C-alpha cells in the first residue's frame, strides 16, 4: 500500500529555514518521482518542486533560489529545505508520488 | 514557464446537471493534462490523467477531453458528493503548473 507522510515544524520564524521530510512506503524512490506542492490557506495549489527517480531535481522558478530538494533512498525519505521564509510561505505542504498518491499535508505557519 | 488559465472560478449547478470546467495552457502541452478533485480539509485526488484516462476507482460520470492548449473536464450528471474544488495540472515539461481552481457548489 502506497503511503506518504509529511513531517516538520508547524511554526517557523520569518527569515529562517524550513525543513520538511516526506517519509514514503509501498514504492521505491528510485522508480518514482516525488513532488512537493503547497497550498496557502483558502487558496489554490502551487507546485514547489520535484526529485525524479534518477535523483535529479526541478524547482518552481519563483522559488528556485531558496529551495533544495534531496532524498535518502535507504530511509525512503525525501527532504525539502526552503530558506529566507516569509509570511507568504505560510501554507499546507504536501508531498505526492507523481500526483497519484498524496500525503495528508503539514501546515507550516511563518510568524514571529 | 507554462501558465494555466482555468474557468470558471466558481460554478453552481443542480444534481443531475452536466458540468464542464475548462483549462487553457499558454503553450502546447500535448496530452499532459490531469484533473484533480479536492474536498475541504483533504489532499487533492486524481480524477483524470493525460487528458482523458480515468484514474482507478473514479466514477465514469467524470471524463476529460482536449489537446494542445485547450482541455475540458466534464461531469455528466452531477451528484451531491461532487461538491469540491477542481484543479487542472499540466506536466508537459519538467515543471508542473496548476490551474487556479473551480469551486463547484450545489444550486
Amino acid at each position: 500500500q502506497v503511503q506518504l507522510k509529511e513531517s516538520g515544524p508547524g511554526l517557523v520564524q520569518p527569515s529562517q529555514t524550513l525543513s520538511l521530510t516526506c517519509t514514503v512506503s509501498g514504492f521505491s524512490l528510485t522508480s518514482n518521482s516525488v513532488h512537493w506542492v503547497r497550498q496557502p490557506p483558502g487558496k489554490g495549489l502551487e507546485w514547489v518542486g520535484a526529485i525524479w527517480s534518477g535523483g535529479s531535481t526541478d524547482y518552481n522558478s519563483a522559488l528556485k533560489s531558496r529551495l533544495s530538494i534531496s532524498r535518502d533512498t535507504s530511509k525512503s525519505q525525501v527532504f525539502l529545505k526552503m530558506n529566507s521564509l516569509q509570511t507568504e510561505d505560510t501554507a499546507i505542504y504536501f508531498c505526492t508520488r507523481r500526483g497519484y498518491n498524496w500525503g495528508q499535508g503539514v501546515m507550516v505557519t511563518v510568524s514571529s | 514557464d507554462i501558465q494555466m488559465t482555468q474557468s470558471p472560478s466558481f460554478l453552481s449547478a443542480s444534481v443531475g446537471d452536466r458540468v464542464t470546467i475548462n483549462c487553457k495552457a499558454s503553450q502546447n502541452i500535448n496530452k499532459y493534462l490531469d484533473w484533480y478533485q479536492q474536498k475541504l480539509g483533504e489532499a487533492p485526488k486524481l480524477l483524470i490523467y493525460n487528458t482523458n484516462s480515468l484514474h482507478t476507482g473514479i466514477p465514469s460520470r467524470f471524463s476529460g477531453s482536449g489537446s494542445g492548449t485547450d482541455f475540458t473536464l466534464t461531469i455528466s450528471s452531477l451528484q451531491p458528493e461532487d461538491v469540491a474544488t477542481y484543479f487542472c495540472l499540466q506536466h508537459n515539461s519538467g515543471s508542473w503548473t496548476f490551474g487556479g481552481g473551480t469551486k463547484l457548489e450545489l444550486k
Side-chain angles (χ1 to χ4, degrees), chain A residues 58-78:
Chain A
D58 276 301
Y59 302 125
N60 183 317
S61 58
L63 304 172
K64 189 172 184 176
S65 62
R66 303 193 287 134
L67 191 57
S68 173
I69 296 175
S70 60
R71 70 185 184 185
D72 184 333
T73 55
S74 67
K75 294 183 178 179
S76 294
Q77 292 181 321
V78 175

Side-chain angles (χ1 to χ4, degrees), chain A residues 6-23:
Chain A
E6 307 87 351
S7 59
L11 181 65
V12 180
Q13 294 203 340
S15 79
Q16 296 303 300
T17 297
L18 172 66
S19 295
L20 296 178
T21 300
C22 175
T23 303

Side-chain angles (χ1 to χ4, degrees), chain A residues 39 43-45 92 94 102, chain B residues 36-47 82-87 102:
Chain A
Q39 185 170 38
K43 296 190 177 181
L45 300 169
I92 299 172
F94 297 98
W102 293 68
Chain B
Y36 290 84
Q37 176 192 68
Q38 188 180 31
K39 296 185 178 180
L40 202 60
E42 298 182 4
K45 175 182 172 183
L46 179 65
L47 300 175
D82 300 336
V83 169
T85 301
Y86 293 82
F87 295 93
T102 297

Side-chain angles (χ1 to χ4, degrees), chain A residues 45-98:
Chain A
L45 300 169
E46 180 181 32
W47 182 76
V48 174
I51 187 161
W52 302 95
S53 58
S56 63
T57 53
D58 276 301
Y59 302 125
N60 183 317
S61 58
L63 304 172
K64 189 172 184 176
S65 62
R66 303 193 287 134
L67 191 57
S68 173
I69 296 175
S70 60
R71 70 185 184 185
D72 184 333
T73 55
S74 67
K75 294 183 178 179
S76 294
Q77 292 181 321
V78 175
F79 309 104
L80 178 151
K81 287 191 188 308
M82 185 184 298
N83 59 32
S84 304
L85 251 62
Q86 300 302 320
T87 54
E88 50 266 33
D89 295 312
T90 293
I92 299 172
Y93 285 75
F94 297 98
C95 59
T96 170
R97 180 187 78 99
R98 300 166 55 206

Side-chain angles (χ1 to χ4, degrees), chain B residues 76-104:
Chain B
S76 60
S77 178
L78 187 67
Q79 299 302 303
E81 60 267 31
D82 300 336
V83 169
T85 301
Y86 293 82
F87 295 93
C88 63
L89 166 70
Q90 75 79 22
H91 56 99
N92 180 66
S93 59
S95 62
W96 290 2
T97 315
F98 287 94
T102 297
K103 187 173 183 180
L104 176 58

